Amino acid sequence: MKNINDKKMNILTFDIEEWFHCDFISSDKNWSNYEVRIHKNTDFILDVLSNYNRKATFFILGWIAEKYPEIVKKIHAEGHEIGCHSMKHKLVHSMTPNQFREDTNRALNEIEKIIGEKVIMYRAPAFSITKDTTWAFEILNELGITHDASIFPAKHDYGGFPSFGDAKPSIIEINGIFIKEFPMNVRKIINKPIVFSGGGFFRLLPYNIIKRWTADSDYIMTYFHPRDFDEAQPMLKHLPLMRKFKSYYGLKKSGAKFDKFVSDFKTTSILEVSEKYNWNIATKCII
């Protein structure tokens, strides 16, 4: 296979969850009381990808798979890759190892029974695998996960792994097991690392900056949510002020900005990169 190590990697990924899952405080017992917006917002993403003939990786929340299996079926039927985004969007470091195992296993079962194949990719909610919860990789390996995209190699509100090392495809080794890791990319601004390729910073920054930084980078790992393009979504009033700003700022123009990004850049998916990447020379991260 052709080695793409020396070529640009613009990886397109989505975390498929509802608009209210940006709240890590409220109990999921209240989720049924919220307005359903996931169908319309996911359809927007799929339509943009179809317009430009792009394939991507979709990390599905188990709760979404259980409640709206038709969404998972549609994503899969359109030829996109399917990964797991936990069952109930709980932060990894808020769970015990057994709780994490049960949560992940349940989510995998829900997704796999819909698509009829093994799920081998995972992303933690809010990148919440930290240096104190590396046991999560052993459990992921136990459950058949071979590719992970949970590492945020800088400080983060709900996690972060600043000591991870370079933001590029790597191999995590822990207690004799190996997982292929696709971390978030970072850009340093006044020596402060930020992630501009998804979430709040993608909505905050002018598109010409995002375009220039993307063009200058050999490795881009995007992360978008259906709510990122929904300017009409309700506002969760009890969110902390900074969290509210990060979740709602820039929604009016984000859909057009996303369309422009997909148009301007040749994007790919995690497994497509993994199949062509020369893992023999990848950095090993022993943790």
Side-chain angles (χ1 to χ4, degrees):
M1 287 187 178
K2 196 172 184 179
N3 181 1
I4 63 171
N5 282 54
D6 297 324
K7 294 188 177 182
K8 291 182 180 295
M9 293 172 277
N10 298 321
I11 303 175
L12 201 54
T13 74
F14 303 89
D15 298 346
I16 301 304
E17 58 195 56
E18 262 288 16
W19 63 275
F20 47 80
H21 287 135
C22 64
D23 180 11
F24 292 96
I25 301 172
S26 296
S27 168
D28 62 352
K29 293 179 181 178
N30 299 321
W31 288 352
S32 60
N33 297 328
Y34 291 122
E35 179 183 346
V36 177
R37 302 187 66 82
I38 188 67
H39 296 84
K40 174 179 177 290
N41 295 335
T42 302
D43 283 347
F44 167 77
I45 292 171
L46 292 174
D47 288 346
V48 171
L49 299 185
S50 178
N51 287 342
Y52 297 106
N53 193 28
R54 303 285 195 259
K55 298 304 179 193
T57 302
F58 286 73
F59 292 99
I60 312 289
L61 197 68
W63 185 86
I64 292 290
E66 182 180 53
K67 198 168 181 68
Y68 309 114
E70 67 277 8
I71 292 177
V72 184
K73 289 179 182 178
K74 185 173 184 178
I75 294 169
H76 187 249
E78 294 194 14
H80 301 292
E81 297 170 2
I82 303 292
C84 175
H85 192 43
S86 84
M87 185 65 201
K88 293 189 175 180
H89 214 243
K90 293 181 179 179
L91 301 172
V92 174
H93 51 72
S94 73
M95 294 184 280
T96 66
N98 281 338
Q99 289 171 335
F100 175 73
R101 180 183 289 105
E102 292 171 5
D103 178 272
T104 307
N105 190 49
R106 182 180 171 191
L108 288 169
N109 288 337
E110 289 293 339
I111 299 167
E112 289 169 359
K113 73 182 181 183
I114 296 170
I115 66 174
E117 58 189 60
K118 183 76 183 80
V119 172
I120 61 171
M121 293 180 289
Y122 178 84
R123 171 175 284 153
F127 306 99
S128 53
I129 294 180
T130 69
K131 66 177 183 178
D132 297 320
T133 57
T134 53
W135 45 259
F137 292 116
E138 297 180 80
I139 294 173
L140 291 175
N141 175 263
E142 172 190 322
L143 297 176
I145 297 297
T146 58
H147 295 67
D148 179 75
S150 301
I151 293 294
F152 194 101
K155 290 184 179 180
H156 188 273
D157 289 347
Y158 297 104
F161 206 131
S163 62
F164 178 77
D166 292 339
K168 61 183 180 181
S170 308
I171 297 177
I172 289 177
E173 179 180 354
I174 177 170
N175 293 331
I177 67 100
F178 302 89
I179 286 185
K180 293 172 180 175
E181 179 63 36
F182 286 83
M184 290 305 303
N185 55 280
V186 295
R187 177 95 180 194
K188 285 191 176 182
I189 304 298
I190 315 177
N191 212 34
K192 177 180 174 58
I194 68 166
V195 171
F196 63 89
S197 54
F201 275 111
F202 183 87
R203 287 183 272 108
L204 173 67
L205 294 169
Y207 181 70
N208 64 332
I209 291 178
I210 293 171
K211 182 177 181 179
R212 184 170 72 248
W213 288 355
T214 300
D216 289 344
S217 303
D218 292 331
Y219 171 75
I220 293 291
M221 169 59 73
T222 67
Y223 78 106
F224 299 109
H225 313 82
R227 68 174 178 269
D228 287 329
F229 315 115
D230 182 8
E231 63 175 300
Q233 67 185 279
M235 180 169 287
L236 294 168
K237 299 184 185 303
H238 64 277
L239 288 180
L241 185 61
M242 183 54 69
R243 183 64 187 173
K244 190 176 294 186
F245 174 78
K246 290 181 178 179
S247 296
Y248 290 93
Y249 182 85
L251 289 174
K252 188 173 182 179
K253 297 181 179 179
S254 59
K257 189 184 292 187
F258 170 69
D259 187 286
K260 183 65 172 168
F261 181 87
V262 178
S263 171
D264 284 343
F265 294 99
K266 182 178 180 181
T267 58
T268 185
S269 60
I270 286 178
L271 292 183
E272 184 177 354
V273 169
S274 183
E275 288 173 359
K276 300 174 183 177
Y277 195 78
N278 183 2
W279 291 101
N280 292 323
I281 63 171
T283 300
K284 276 193 178 180
C285 301
I286 302 175
I287 57 178

